[in-house]
Amino acid sequence: MSAFILRRLIQAVIVMVSVAFISFLLFQYVGDPVVFLLGQEATPEQIRQLRADLGLDQPFFVQFWHFLVNAAQGEFGLSLRQGAKVSRLLAERFPATFELALVAALLALVVGIPMGVYAALRRGSFLSQVFMTVSLLGVSLPTFLIGILLILVFSVWLGWLPSFGRGETVDFGWWSSGLFTVDGWLHMILPAITLAIFQLTLIMRLVRAEMLEVLRTDYIKFARARGLTDRAIYFGHALKNTLVPVMTITGLQLGGLIAFAIITETVFQWPGMGLLFIQAVTFADVPVMAAYLCLIALIFVVINLIVDLLYAAVDPRLHLTNPGGH
């Protein structure tokens, strides 16, 4: 176990350094942030002075090394657009993104798993065909279009739900939450549904496929021969083994929900990290963009480690000594 965790930590360091390097390499060509700060009418002297003050006149690898040292200490420098610490900006926006991703993930699990089980057990029924058709729409339609359609129906036509913002929040130290107010939940519904639809359809189709495969195995036939009830077979044996790969996909998708909530947050003007990242791209705010990508990489690495550990706990046939991982 110790060797496995150590190996994963080494891989995590390599991944995060690689992501930081690639993000810095790419964002050198996004644009000159000095132009955004000073405007087009700035004199050459002012431009040179500001570049020197921000350390942008130094070689690329020197800037990159300073960024890595500061990031290891939890500091990502100053935002070139807002002049505030990047770590503070991310800390302010992280609760909104995390809660949106968490609600979307729970919604996808609570709805997607039962739909997948039903579609597998009653695959010839009318409702099962409806589920499969809806899943194709959920996979095919882009997220921004789903969000716009939900706003059009529930906000513009019906007027039931708000179309933008996070609503009323409650502060718990540095953490602000909208899950403890009615207004916060009303603002949460449409973005959470928009973000969850793709994951929901993915989980439903995965559960259906895995369930059908498990039901054809020999041990399920043996369980039927022993006279076990359908309920015991379906939910006591088949579903448990079906959820092993689902757990892996769900864990990684949670990181994906946090990383790819950018479109949803932009459509609904949700004040999360995704909206902050879009604004940083617009103004070529390199420290914010690089810090965001490194944070997302860290989230994926941590979730992947947790999923690997849970994998071995759920299925004892899997051994952590496997050097290939999962």
Side-chain angles (χ1 to χ4, degrees):
M1 178 69 74
S2 300
F4 171 79
I5 296 177
L6 179 61
R7 185 167 59 248
R8 282 300 189 186
L9 290 177
I10 294 175
Q11 293 175 357
V13 172
I14 296 175
V15 169
M16 295 185 63
V17 172
S18 300
V19 170
F21 178 78
I22 293 174
S23 63
F24 247 75
L25 183 64
L26 292 176
F27 295 148
Q28 293 297 308
Y29 305 99
V30 171
D32 191 353
V34 175
V35 176
F36 290 99
L37 291 173
L38 296 179
Q40 298 292 338
E41 300 178 355
T43 63
E45 292 77 12
Q46 291 176 327
I47 294 177
R48 284 195 297 269
Q49 183 62 43
L50 183 57
R51 291 184 65 84
D53 294 339
L54 296 176
L56 299 178
D57 59 338
Q58 299 178 353
F60 168 79
F61 288 102
V62 174
Q63 297 182 45
F64 179 63
W65 172 252
H66 290 164
F67 171 78
L68 288 181
V69 173
N70 292 330
Q73 302 173 359
E75 293 293 337
F76 298 95
L78 296 178
S79 169
L80 302 182
R81 182 174 70 93
Q82 302 185 37
K85 287 187 176 181
V86 176
S87 57
R88 181 175 67 83
L89 295 176
L90 291 177
E92 292 175 351
R93 301 294 188 100
F94 180 77
T97 298
F98 179 77
E99 290 183 355
L100 177 61
L102 182 62
V103 173
L106 292 177
L107 180 62
L109 284 174
V110 171
V111 179
I113 292 178
M115 289 176 63
V117 172
Y118 184 89
L121 300 181
R122 302 288 187 269
R123 59 182 181 274
S125 64
F126 172 77
L127 187 57
S128 176
Q129 297 300 320
V130 172
F131 287 166
M132 297 304 297
T133 303
V134 172
S135 69
L136 288 177
L137 292 175
V139 172
S140 303
L141 293 178
T143 302
F144 73 89
L145 180 58
I146 295 175
I148 293 174
L149 291 176
L150 290 178
I151 292 175
L152 178 64
V153 174
F154 294 100
S155 297
V156 178
W157 290 351
L158 300 177
W160 291 352
L161 297 171
S163 60
F164 67 93
R166 194 183 179 193
E168 183 181 357
T169 60
V170 178
D171 294 332
F172 299 95
W174 66 274
W175 189 280
S176 63
S177 176
L179 301 180
F180 297 92
T181 64
V182 175
D183 187 57
W185 275 105
L186 291 177
H187 283 78
M188 174 75 71
I189 293 176
L190 292 184
I193 292 176
T194 302
L195 190 60
I197 284 181
F198 178 80
Q199 316 301 332
L200 186 154
T201 55
L202 179 65
I203 290 174
M204 190 206 76
R205 298 182 72 88
L206 178 62
V207 169
R208 179 183 181 273
E210 292 293 332
M211 194 79 169
L212 290 175
E213 183 177 351
V214 169
L215 291 176
R216 290 193 292 264
T217 57
D218 292 335
Y219 75 89
I220 293 296
K221 298 177 182 178
F222 179 72
R224 294 185 186 278
R226 289 174 55 196
L228 295 180
T229 62
D230 289 342
R231 183 183 183 88
I233 293 174
Y234 294 152
F235 301 103
H237 296 276
L239 183 59
K240 180 179 179 181
N241 290 278
T242 298
L243 293 181
V244 173
V246 174
M247 182 175 59
T248 302
I249 296 298
T250 303
L252 296 178
Q253 287 302 317
L254 178 59
L257 287 172
I258 296 176
F260 304 123
I262 296 176
I263 298 177
T264 302
E265 293 184 1
T266 303
V267 171
F268 292 93
Q269 289 298 293
W270 188 265
M273 295 191 302
L275 186 59
L276 177 66
F277 178 77
I278 290 296
Q279 295 170 347
V281 172
T282 303
F283 290 92
D285 198 343
V286 178
V288 173
M289 293 187 288
Y292 174 82
L293 294 182
C294 290
L295 177 60
I296 295 301
L298 176 62
I299 292 174
F300 270 105
V301 167
V302 172
I303 291 178
N304 193 34
L305 175 61
I306 295 174
V307 168
D308 281 339
L309 297 177
L310 291 177
Y311 224 91
V314 172
D315 192 344
R317 296 173 299 175
L318 303 174
H319 300 284
L320 295 177
T321 55
N322 181 12
H326 305 299

